[in-house]
Amino acid sequence: MSEVLETQSNDVEMVAEIGQAYARMKKEIHKKIVGQEEVVSNLLISIFAGGHVLLVGVPGLAKTLLVTSLCEALDLDFKRIQFTPDLMPSDIVGTEVIQDDPVTKERMFKFMAGPIFSNIILADEINRTPPKTQAALLEAMQEKQVSVGGKVYPLSKPFFVIATQNPIDQEGTYPLPEAQQDRFLFNLFVDYPEDQEEMDIVRMVTSGAFEDIESAVSGEDILRYQQVIKKAPVSEHVLRYAINLVRATRHKKPEATDFVRKWMAFGAGPRASLSLISAAKSRAILNGNYHVSTEDVAAVAVPVLRHRIAPNFAAMAEGISAEDIVNHLLETIPQNA
């Protein structure tokens, strides 16, 4: 009995510690980022959940500054890769080169690690490079390893890919394949700032009134927090709600609504259900709750699902987006069924 009470006490203390770390990171990031509260919160939810993030927005909205500010708030290694049309896969993962052994004088292959061997990778303007190079990230994002020359090289932990992307209708871009989009836990839209926020941005940037960001959390802390978040209890009805949301996106299944059957080309796979629960756990713990609710699932549904479903041509012609479909499901599917 005493061991159970001690475990519960430790869990309560860890939840409080995670909440404090979350608050410190937000405070440090906002030293350079004005507004974008929802984007910052969701970015941190993804980090604590151990997921990757795709930031989408037109140029000039401080997407890159947001990521670099996050990296300054974390005591982790950071590499930025600027994706260009001539970038090759070996420029990301590394390559083998021939070297002479100084002792035996024999020639041998030596692996020269690429920039992907870091804790946080900023894949800047990921849709500016062709699909072959985009695919070089797939194994790293899913398996946390890189295979070169028949050998497997594990990546450091924690490992996150944060990619920025301009809207695909901009000139000179390559839309990310669906399989790669599915590897991102969140797809976050970075919108234009509000009027007063833009005034504050202009005043701060043109006067150079930036504060230095201090490290708030270490890599070891992040790994510990991720283990606590994974253990967050999820009741049966919360699991059912998450699964109902995902299954309702599949227009050929009986769970789909008439709205989905009319406007959907294809729905989300099982990884979406896993992502919903992982993100909901992270959100619950970061907000000081000890269990996951259906409200947590609903709060992360749009960034989890918007890049995993595809409206059909009729929907696009009518201006109905993936986000509209997700919001329809949130309004239609009861949370306490």
Side-chain angles (χ1 to χ4, degrees):
M1 183 66 178
S2 61
E3 292 180 357
V4 174
L5 292 175
E6 183 178 353
T7 300
Q8 292 176 342
S9 177
N10 290 338
D11 289 343
V12 170
E13 292 175 0
M14 282 298 298
V15 170
E17 181 181 338
I18 293 171
Q20 293 168 3
Y22 175 54
R24 287 197 307 272
M25 291 180 67
K26 288 182 69 175
K27 180 181 178 181
E28 294 300 320
I29 290 172
H30 280 300
K31 286 181 178 180
K32 290 187 177 179
I33 299 297
V34 177
Q36 304 291 358
E37 292 287 344
E38 184 177 357
V39 174
V40 171
S41 295
N42 282 331
L43 183 59
L44 293 177
I45 287 171
S46 182
I47 291 292
F48 281 87
H52 310 293
V53 178
L54 181 62
L55 293 173
V56 180
V58 299
L61 295 181
K63 300 186 297 296
T64 303
L65 179 61
L66 172 59
V67 178
T68 55
S69 300
L70 169 69
C71 295
E72 289 179 41
L74 289 168
D75 186 18
L76 296 173
D77 293 332
F78 164 67
K79 295 285 177 61
R80 173 181 174 177
I81 305 173
Q82 188 66 45
F83 280 70
T84 57
D86 60 345
L87 194 73
M88 299 296 291
S90 58
D91 296 327
I92 299 174
V93 301
T95 187
E96 288 187 324
V97 297
I98 298 177
Q99 289 188 343
D100 292 328
D101 189 289
V103 178
T104 64
K105 306 300 182 183
E106 294 181 356
R107 289 191 168 186
M108 60 175 57
F109 284 102
K110 181 179 180 180
F111 178 64
M112 303 296 289
I116 202 168
F117 287 86
S118 187
N119 296 118
I120 297 181
I121 302 299
L122 170 55
D124 214 359
E125 294 189 300
I126 191 172
N127 61 331
R128 291 288 181 192
T129 201
K132 180 180 180 181
T133 305
Q134 293 172 356
L137 287 173
L138 279 174
E139 182 183 13
M141 292 173 67
Q142 187 65 30
E143 308 296 338
K144 308 296 191 297
Q145 66 183 32
V146 168
S147 300
V148 178
K151 295 182 180 179
V152 175
Y153 301 90
L155 299 171
S156 301
K157 293 181 180 181
F159 175 75
F160 308 105
V161 172
I162 303 175
T164 67
Q165 174 176 289
N166 295 327
I168 60 175
D169 57 347
Q170 295 279 318
E171 185 176 354
T173 57
Y174 301 83
L176 280 176
E178 288 78 7
Q180 184 149 7
Q181 290 190 57
D182 201 31
R183 262 61 174 193
F184 289 98
L185 177 67
F186 278 168
N187 180 340
L188 302 179
F189 283 179
V190 183
D191 205 353
Y192 294 105
E194 299 295 333
D195 179 73
Q196 185 57 48
E197 291 173 350
E198 190 159 359
M199 178 72 76
D200 295 338
I201 291 169
V202 173
R203 183 182 295 113
M204 183 172 66
V205 173
T206 56
S207 65
F210 285 112
E211 294 183 61
D212 291 333
I213 294 178
E214 299 178 2
S215 176
V217 178
S218 69
E220 291 75 15
D221 291 334
I222 289 291
L223 292 174
R224 285 193 300 113
Y225 298 159
Q226 287 175 353
Q227 293 304 312
V228 174
I229 288 171
K230 285 180 181 178
K231 294 190 297 182
V234 183
S235 63
E236 191 73 17
H237 85 277
V238 174
L239 286 174
R240 172 49 55 192
Y241 177 63
I243 292 172
N244 286 346
L245 278 176
V246 174
R247 292 186 64 83
T249 66
R250 301 164 188 168
H251 65 291
K252 294 185 178 180
K253 297 295 183 180
E255 295 91 340
T257 65
D258 292 338
F259 185 91
V260 169
R261 293 191 185 98
K262 181 178 180 180
W263 300 119
M264 188 76 78
F266 66 83
R271 189 181 280 119
S273 302
L274 299 173
S275 298
L276 273 178
I277 294 300
S278 296
K281 284 185 175 186
S282 181
R283 182 182 186 273
I285 296 296
L286 291 180
N287 286 301
N289 300 317
Y290 303 102
H291 63 277
V292 182
S293 67
T294 54
E295 288 79 9
D296 293 312
V297 175
V300 299
V302 171
V304 166
L305 293 174
R306 63 156 59 109
H307 58 299
R308 291 184 164 95
I309 64 176
N312 56 29
F313 289 113
M316 289 186 283
E318 294 292 330
I320 295 174
S321 66
E323 187 168 338
D324 293 329
I325 295 174
V326 177
N327 285 326
H328 159 77
L329 295 177
L330 291 174
E331 295 170 1
T332 305
I333 298 176
Q335 295 186 13
N336 298 314

